[in-house]
C-alpha cells in the first residue's frame, strides 16, 4: 500500500512498466479532463502494447495497492512461456473493452 499520493504515469512520457491497481481509486487526467476509475484496472496498457508514451497521467491516493511489472520482465516471460503472451493479451483486451464500455 502506498503512504502518499503516487503518480504512476505522466501523459506523453515513455513508460517502462505496466501497473495493475488492486485497491484504491486511480485518478486519470487526459487532455485536460479528469476522471476517477475503480480498482481492478491496468494502467499503462496502451503504452505497453503500442510501445508509445503514456496516453494519460494517473495518480493513486494514499492507501492504494498496486502491482507493477517492467516491460522488460513481461517481454522475457513472453519469450519463455508461449501461453503467457496469449493470456496477457486477453487480460489487457478485456480491460480495455471494459474501459471503453464505461466511457460511453
Amino acid at each position: 500500500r502506498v503512504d502518499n499520493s503516487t503518480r504512476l504515469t505522466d501523459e506523453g512520457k515513455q513508460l517502462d512498466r505496466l501497473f495493475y491497481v488492486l485497491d484504491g481509486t486511480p485518478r486519470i487526467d487526459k487532455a485536460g479532463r479528469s476522471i476517477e476509475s475503480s480498482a481492478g484496472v491496468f494502467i499503462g496498457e496502451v503504452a505497453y502494447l503500442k510501445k508509445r508514451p503514456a496516453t494519460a497521467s494517473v495518480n493513486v491516493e494514499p492507501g492504494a495497492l498496486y502491482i507493477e511489472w517492467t516491460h522488460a520482465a513481461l517481454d522475457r516471460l513472453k519469450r519463455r512461456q508461449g501461453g503467457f503472451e496469449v493470456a496477457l493479451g486477453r487480460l489487457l483486451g478485456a480491460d480495455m473493452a471494459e474501459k471503453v464500455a464505461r466511457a460511453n
Side-chain angles (χ1 to χ4, degrees), residues 23-73:
D23 190 21
T25 305
R27 191 182 79 243
I28 302 164
D29 297 304
K30 181 176 182 169
R33 242 182 67 205
S34 184
I35 60 169
E36 288 188 347
S37 187
S38 58
V41 295
F42 283 99
I43 303 295
E45 72 284 359
V46 173
Y48 173 68
L49 291 170
K50 296 290 196 176
K51 308 281 189 250
R52 294 186 179 162
T55 59
S57 296
V58 179
N59 290 295
V60 291
E61 296 305 315
L65 178 65
Y66 67 89
I67 53 178
E68 62 184 81
W69 304 270
T70 65
H71 292 180

Side-chain angles (χ1 to χ4, degrees), residues 1 9 14 32-33 36-37 49 61-62 75 83 87-88 92 95:
R1 296 210 181 260
T9 66
Q14 203 64 41
R33 242 182 67 205
E36 288 188 347
S37 187
L49 291 170
E61 296 305 315
D75 291 343
L88 181 60
L92 294 175
D95 181 77

Side-chain angles (χ1 to χ4, degrees), residues 79-96:
R79 284 191 302 273
R80 281 190 275 165
Q81 299 177 16
F84 178 78
E85 184 170 10
V86 172
L88 181 60
R90 286 182 180 167
L91 288 170
L92 294 175
D95 181 77
M96 288 188 288

